[in-house]
Amino acid sequence: GQEVENYRIPFVGKVLGTVTPYQDQSLFYQRRNELGQVFKEAESLEGREGVDYRRDNRERIRLYLDAVDITSNLRDLRDERDIIEVSNDLDDVTKRERIEEVEERMKFQVDRFNRQYNALE
């Protein structure tokens, strides 16, 4: 009697082109790591070369620092979700609703980051 997302049904998700939240998160971590390389390069360069590199990559460096914050937020949200899942004080419907709320907050942060990253391109 529960509604099932298309991506959870074999073949249907592929036919309808549904993107799973896990794909978005995977893309987030891939992009965070890519931006981390830019950040590390900026830290390693000195003098005029470093100044020029940081100026040219200012938005990527800023977005990397945002990604670090989002990573921490996602960790906290996963912890919150795990606590809800094992709670004996909640009925199944309430658990599912609260878990969906937490996952929506996670999705919002990942989607916002991915939109900002796409805007850099």
Side-chain angles (χ1 to χ4, degrees), residues 64-81:
Y64 170 73
L65 296 173
D66 288 346
V68 170
D69 289 340
I70 292 169
T71 300
S72 176
N73 292 342
L74 292 175
R75 185 180 320 107
D76 293 343
L77 288 167
R78 279 191 300 275
D79 290 345
E80 183 179 340
R81 182 187 61 197

Side-chain angles (χ1 to χ4, degrees), residues 42-100:
E43 284 187 322
S44 71
L45 295 173
E46 297 178 0
R48 187 72 194 157
E49 185 180 16
V51 170
D52 291 343
Y53 186 85
R54 283 186 284 284
R55 183 190 64 238
D56 294 342
N57 291 284
R58 181 181 317 125
E59 292 301 313
R60 292 184 182 284
I61 292 168
R62 182 194 55 77
L63 192 55
Y64 170 73
L65 296 173
D66 288 346
V68 170
D69 289 340
I70 292 169
T71 300
S72 176
N73 292 342
L74 292 175
R75 185 180 320 107
D76 293 343
L77 288 167
R78 279 191 300 275
D79 290 345
E80 183 179 340
R81 182 187 61 197
D82 292 346
I83 290 168
I84 294 168
E85 286 176 344
V86 299
S87 173
N88 293 326
D89 298 334
L90 303 171
D91 61 83
D92 289 343
V93 173
T94 304
K95 274 187 187 182
R96 188 178 72 242
E97 288 172 353
R98 288 191 183 171
I99 288 170
E100 286 175 4

